[in-house]
Amino acid sequence: MASETVRLVRPVLRAHRRNLGVLAAWSLVETLPVLLSGTLVAAALDRGFLAGRAPYGLVLLLAYGVTMVIGTLGTRQAMPHAAAIVESFRDTLISRVVHAGLHRAVYPASGAGYSGGATADVSTVARLTRQVETVRQISGGLLLSLRGVALAMGAAVIGLFALDPLLALITGGAVVIAVVLTALLSRVLRRRHVALLRAQEELAGRAGPQLTGIRDVVTCGAWETAGRTVGGGVDAEAAAAVASARAGAGRIAVVAVGTRLPFAIILLSSSWLVSSAVLTPGALVGAMFYLLQGIEPALRAMVQTVSNMGLQLSVTLRRLSDFIDVPPRPPSGTGSFPGAGAGAGTGTGTCTGTDIALRDVHFAYGPHAEPLFSRISLDIPDGSHLAIVGPSGIGKSTLACLAGGLEQARSGEVTIGGIPVAELAEEELRRRVALVPQESYVFAGTLRENLALLRPDVPESELDAAAVALGLAETVRRLGGYDAVIGSPGLLSQGERQLITLARVYVSEARVVILDEATCHLDRVGEERVEDAFIARPGTLIVVAHRITSALRAERIGVVGQDSLTVGSHDELLGMSAEYAELIGYWSFAGESVEPTAIPRPLI
């Protein structure tokens, strides 16, 4: 099997040694009928029916039936252990595919070696996960078939040896030749299968432009040229298909060499074997039984099912291997986050020098897409509180992520503390900038594990302070404390899940916090409480606001328009931003008060 298959499978097999041992033991039980079949049939004939002892012969045949029942039990007991290995292999592949997809999405340049393109979009990952399911099905069938083939052949040869060593030698030699021929044929089949796939891709590449430009072909009368272009691809694909089919036909010869040749030898020499007392009539029938009921089905499975599955598995795994073997991620900047290590979470240390600046930033979702922002600039002083407002879909979240270094500008510059984001150490940037999205994430585990995800060593006193500040204390009491297990996060309300996610960031080391409609499942009182807590927390706060009351709590408000950004206080914006006035009118019509309330200012 291909080296990439072995490389991917070896860690899984190493981790499941016990399952492999138990699987092997039950597989031996499963082959008991093959091992004893010929011997019991021979004894039933020689010592039973031919000796005039029909009841004894029937007892031996009944014993053969019992071995078949035992073999079926072995198959049943082997299945769970085979499934454990296959499912673990599938989980490993899924994990590596998703990891590689995320790697290629975050580090697009590192995926340049992948034949599917420089980056991995959602459709690529989805297609590859479907291929992983194919691998799971094939590997499961291959594991079961391979062990059945190997053990059945071995059991049949051992049974033949018990009847007559000469027969075992003849049959064993033929089987060895068949296995060697199968290995050689598999290499040919693989090459021709790959050639067929390439011919099909070449045909698709030739036919696509012709079909797309069919009107031009008709207009120019270029039927013959188009026909020759596509016809060459059709001829090449047909030739590759015929070559692959011819190679596949070689499997018939392998079966003939492995089973029909020794069968013919034994059948032609049967008269001499019996007359010279080399074999008894029962032993002769038993030998035929081993050949036709043991070796031939196993050999057919090997050259047809196993080789087909092995070929498909090898090709599919090569495709997956090309994707998941991503190169080391490109080195990130080595600069330290300004003020890193000065203080964390709700500690008392001060952190200075994290002014955020956007200069002539241009951003679009693709090289040919319409720009969302073009040459916009924005200053966010350290420790300030900025609310971003605007119509739905205008780019508020994108602007917030650009400011936090979580999105990369196509051109222009984003700096934190005067250092370009691209030059900052990525780990430090991800640790010091936290985004809380609208969709909250709570995983199965203890409440403490959920809250301490971003800062595992957070003291319980800070968890208590966060719970009180954010309004999470009642949920903590209801669940039974921080060590209570959240077995099913879906049983929590959306508001509770949102508060847990917010508290996780509140106690983290993040110096810049972005709340992207992160309080949408809280009522106005809960939203005000959360935002007041983050305002009082040391650091910079950026809020993507969906309520006017949220915007009014900010020192400054950024209004995102169509390729525009206007920043100012509430009163300033009413006089200079038509977009803001229109938005205020919409919010007022929806019943929200536009009167600012007294709020605590940031404690820096």
Side-chain angles (χ1 to χ4, degrees):
M1 194 167 290
S3 59
E4 61 268 17
T5 303
V6 177
R7 181 171 54 85
L8 291 172
V9 171
R10 185 184 294 116
V12 177
L13 297 181
R14 189 181 300 118
H16 287 271
R17 292 190 184 95
R18 181 180 177 278
N19 288 109
L20 282 172
V22 178
L23 177 63
W26 283 113
S27 297
L28 290 174
V29 175
E30 185 182 351
T31 58
L32 190 62
V34 177
L35 179 63
L36 299 179
S37 61
T39 301
L40 289 174
V41 168
L45 285 172
D46 290 336
R47 301 176 188 177
F49 301 112
L50 295 179
R53 302 166 61 192
Y56 183 69
L58 289 174
V59 169
L60 291 176
L61 292 181
L62 179 61
Y64 176 48
V66 172
T67 64
M68 295 182 68
V69 173
I70 296 174
T72 302
L73 176 64
T75 302
R76 180 181 182 277
Q77 296 299 113
M79 287 299 178
H81 301 282
I85 298 170
V86 171
E87 290 301 319
S88 178
F89 184 39
R90 176 249 189 198
D91 293 343
T92 299
L93 286 178
I94 284 286
S95 176
R96 294 189 64 176
V97 165
V98 173
H99 178 270
L102 292 172
H103 188 287
R104 294 175 188 280
V106 176
Y107 309 103
S110 68
Y114 171 56
S115 60
T119 60
D121 57 18
V122 174
S123 63
T124 299
V125 176
R127 185 171 64 253
L128 290 171
T129 52
R130 288 195 297 271
Q131 291 181 6
V132 170
E133 287 302 310
T134 300
V135 168
R136 180 180 70 86
Q137 296 172 7
I138 296 173
S139 58
L142 192 58
L143 177 62
L144 296 176
S145 298
L146 270 177
R147 70 185 180 86
V149 165
L151 293 175
M153 284 187 179
V157 172
I158 292 173
L160 278 170
F161 187 85
L163 290 177
D164 186 81
L166 179 61
L167 293 182
L169 182 62
I170 294 172
T171 304
V175 168
V176 169
I177 294 173
V179 171
V180 172
L181 290 176
T182 300
L184 296 175
L185 184 62
S186 295
R187 294 185 178 182
V188 176
L189 283 170
R190 177 183 172 81
R191 289 197 301 268
R192 295 193 179 181
H193 184 69
V194 172
L196 177 59
L197 291 178
R198 289 175 177 170
Q200 291 172 344
E201 292 174 359
E202 175 67 19
L203 175 58
R206 290 189 180 193
Q210 306 301 322
L211 295 175
T212 303
I214 191 68
R215 292 184 179 178
D216 295 332
V217 171
V218 174
T219 302
C220 300
W223 289 107
E224 292 185 3
T225 302
R228 285 194 300 270
T229 301
V230 177
V234 172
D235 293 340
E237 192 269 345
V242 170
S244 180
R246 285 175 177 169
R251 295 167 177 161
I252 300 174
V254 172
V255 175
V257 169
T259 59
R260 295 310 168 107
L261 181 59
F263 180 84
I265 293 173
I266 295 173
L267 187 63
L268 291 173
S269 59
S270 59
S271 177
W272 174 82
L273 291 171
V274 173
S275 63
S276 59
V278 175
L279 288 179
T280 64
L284 182 63
V285 174
M288 298 300 187
F289 212 88
Y290 279 125
L291 281 171
L292 299 181
Q293 298 298 320
I295 294 179
E296 181 168 348
L299 193 58
R300 285 188 180 277
M302 182 184 72
V303 300
Q304 294 178 357
T305 306
V306 173
S307 62
N308 279 341
M309 289 191 296
L311 177 62
Q312 189 176 359
L313 181 64
S314 177
V315 173
T316 306
L317 281 177
R318 177 178 288 277
R319 165 71 174 172
L320 290 172
S321 181
D322 289 342
F323 181 80
I324 64 181
D325 286 342
V326 294
R329 68 187 186 187
S332 57
T334 56
S336 297
F337 195 96
T346 56
T348 58
T350 58
C351 222
T352 60
T354 54
D355 298 336
I356 298 174
L358 282 70
R359 293 288 178 266
D360 295 328
V361 167
H362 175 92
F363 180 84
Y365 285 112
H368 305 295
E370 289 293 325
L372 194 62
F373 300 113
S374 181
R375 300 182 64 84
I376 64 166
S377 298
L378 174 65
D379 289 300
I380 308 175
D382 175 56
S384 63
H385 177 193
L386 173 71
I388 300 176
V389 300
S392 177
I394 198 67
K396 303 185 295 294
S397 299
T398 302
L399 177 62
C401 290
L402 283 168
L406 305 179
E407 285 280 10
Q408 295 183 355
R410 294 281 175 178
S411 63
E413 187 177 59
V414 179
T415 62
I416 299 180
I419 302 176
V421 167
E423 297 179 10
L424 290 171
E426 183 190 343
E427 290 79 5
E428 188 69 18
L429 179 64
R430 300 304 182 208
R431 187 163 60 95
R432 294 288 179 162
V433 178
L435 167 70
V436 186
Q438 180 178 355
E439 299 81 10
S440 53
Y441 172 65
V442 176
F443 55 87
T446 66
L447 179 59
R448 186 188 304 274
E449 288 170 339
N450 271 277
L451 295 176
L453 179 64
L454 302 180
R455 189 181 164 201
D457 60 346
V458 59
E460 188 166 316
S461 59
E462 291 194 28
L463 294 180
D464 290 336
V468 171
L470 299 174
L472 184 62
E474 178 57 35
T475 299
V476 175
R477 284 192 294 270
R478 182 179 68 80
L479 293 176
Y482 299 114
D483 294 319
V485 176
I486 303 175
S488 178
L491 297 179
L492 298 172
S493 70
Q494 290 183 322
E496 287 175 324
R497 294 199 299 271
Q498 208 155 47
L499 285 175
I500 291 173
T501 305
L502 287 161
R504 179 187 300 152
V505 171
Y506 186 85
V507 300
S508 73
E509 297 180 352
R511 179 66 187 174
V512 178
V513 173
I514 302 170
L515 303 182
D516 188 359
E517 299 192 17
T519 59
C520 61
H521 295 300
L522 304 179
D523 58 22
R524 294 187 184 183
V525 175
E527 177 187 72
E528 181 176 358
R529 185 172 190 169
V530 166
E531 290 187 3
D532 285 350
F534 274 97
I535 290 170
R537 179 185 183 275
T540 300
L541 178 62
I542 302 173
V543 178
V544 178
H546 67 291
R547 289 176 179 154
I548 187 60
T549 50
S550 181
L552 292 174
R553 276 188 285 272
E555 298 171 334
R556 293 189 306 156
I557 303 170
V559 184
V560 181
Q562 192 67 40
D563 194 23
S564 66
L565 175 64
T566 307
V567 181
S569 66
H570 170 68
D571 293 334
E572 292 170 343
L573 290 172
L574 285 176
M576 66 180 185
S577 173
E579 290 94 342
Y580 185 69
E582 182 178 352
L583 195 60
I584 290 296
Y586 170 78
W587 272 329
S588 300
F589 180 77
E592 293 200 35
S593 170
V594 297
E595 294 299 324
T597 57
I599 56 175
R601 307 317 307 161
L603 302 178
I604 306 298

